[in-house]
Amino acid sequence: MGIIETVERTLKASGADVSAIGKSVCDNDILCAHLGSYSGKQIIITAAIHARECYTALVVLKQIAEFSARRGGVYFVPLVNPDGAAFFESGEAFGKEFLLKNAHMCKYWKANADGVDLNCNFDANFGTGAQQNKIAPAAHGYVGEYPLCAPESKALADFTLSVMPSATVSYHCMGGELYWQFFQDEKRRFRDSSFAAAIAKHIGVKKVDGELNSAGGYKDFCVQTLKIPAVTIELIKHGTHPFAPEDYWGDIEKNADLPTFILQYLYEENHV
């Protein structure tokens, strides 16, 4: 069973409120599940924005099963890039000529079905990151013609603005690190650093300080536009792409209660 079907079946059986926040290039639903109350603080957790990192979705599915917060709610978007995930797993090209021509690259693919790297396509210092040299559709690093030109990033950005969450978490792979900084002012930098440190300690990853040579990411968009704490978590400390589902087992367990932990942190410490 592929990751798209795994996500669909798991969400259907979860008891969560499930809906689609939008469609992918190839008309696949980008599914979202909500658990907890719709009142109070809300967080958004995303995974699989990069095709070859599609099994980060398994972390989110485990979190849905383990969720137990008493206050607030969580929106889980486990598979932001369903087309890319299917291409990575099986070479499924949905009839797209661009993907068919690049079938030999499927196990290293990060982009969507149009060759746009979704995590470079958000409106946050767009085109100024390390990937700006990619000027045409590619397996990774192409920022797109303009911010949010990809339907997947546009759907996620619009959805995030509609929710106005208190914080967001994005799962990627690899490195065993957590990124949080994106040109915050001093007050927000202190708040966001504390938030990131608490999460890094809880799941056992390294908190990375300093501005990175990147831009246009979902985390960057949340920090810059919503002015909320947002983190990118890089799972699997060591290894080489492509990774299999079993490579994520340790991270799945370590992150299982993170949504509950974050809501408790936001309420009890009143940081946000």
Side-chain angles (χ1 to χ4, degrees):
M1 183 165 58
I3 192 63
I4 291 180
E5 187 177 358
T6 297
V7 168
E8 290 175 347
R9 287 190 179 188
T10 303
L11 295 190
K12 184 177 180 180
S14 68
D17 292 338
V18 179
S19 60
I21 66 169
K23 294 279 191 178
S24 68
V25 169
C26 298
D27 205 38
N28 283 303
D29 284 334
I30 303 169
L31 295 176
C32 173
H34 183 272
L35 286 172
S37 172
Y38 284 100
S39 62
K41 298 181 187 297
Q42 305 292 310
I43 61 176
I44 295 176
I45 298 182
T46 71
I49 199 169
H50 285 147
R52 71 183 188 186
E53 301 163 18
C54 61
Y55 298 130
T56 56
L58 299 175
V59 176
V60 179
L61 297 184
K62 178 66 170 179
Q63 291 175 339
I64 292 171
E66 297 291 326
F67 182 74
S68 62
R70 297 178 180 178
R71 292 181 290 178
V74 183
Y75 292 90
F76 301 90
V77 187
L79 198 59
V80 177
N81 186 3
D83 302 349
F87 185 57
F88 165 80
E89 282 194 310
S90 64
E92 171 61 60
F94 303 100
K96 291 280 292 184
E97 184 177 354
F98 176 71
L99 292 182
L100 291 169
K101 289 181 177 179
N102 287 279
H104 63 289
M105 289 290 294
C106 68
K107 291 303 179 184
Y108 303 96
W109 201 260
K110 294 177 72 176
N112 74 350
D114 284 336
V116 175
D117 190 322
L118 300 177
N119 210 44
C120 304
N121 189 236
F122 289 86
D123 192 7
N125 296 6
F126 176 78
T128 66
Q131 296 89 356
Q132 64 181 321
N133 59 326
K134 300 291 176 62
I135 60 173
H140 64 87
Y142 174 51
V143 302
E145 292 184 11
Y146 53 86
L148 304 181
C149 66
E152 298 91 348
S153 52
K154 179 71 162 57
L156 183 55
D158 288 349
F159 174 71
T160 302
L161 290 172
S162 72
V163 171
M164 293 301 292
S166 295
T168 67
V169 175
S170 306
Y171 281 107
H172 287 254
C173 171
M174 56 172 273
E177 297 178 329
L178 180 149
Y179 307 119
W180 62 276
Q181 206 161 342
F182 196 71
F183 307 103
Q184 293 98 324
D185 60 31
E186 184 175 354
K187 182 178 179 180
R188 287 193 294 123
R189 187 162 59 248
F190 177 80
R191 178 200 65 182
D192 295 0
S193 178
S194 299
F195 176 79
I199 292 175
K201 181 179 180 180
H202 186 74
I203 62 175
V205 298
K206 177 184 177 182
K207 171 176 168 279
V208 177
D209 298 329
E211 309 297 350
L212 304 175
N213 188 22
S214 64
Y218 177 63
K219 177 264 293 177
D220 308 332
F221 165 77
C222 292
V223 170
Q224 188 175 82
T225 301
L226 279 69
K227 302 190 186 316
I228 60 172
V231 299
T232 293
I233 298 171
E234 297 280 356
L235 303 175
I236 304 181
K237 189 172 183 179
H238 302 293
T240 305
H241 286 285
F243 292 106
E246 55 266 28
D247 295 317
Y248 290 87
W249 286 348
D251 288 305
I252 288 171
E253 293 303 320
K254 290 177 182 177
N255 286 265
D257 70 340
L258 186 60
T260 303
F261 172 82
I262 290 174
L263 283 174
Q264 181 177 344
Y265 175 91
L266 295 178
Y267 275 107
E268 293 188 358
E269 301 299 327
N270 198 29
H271 282 293
V272 180

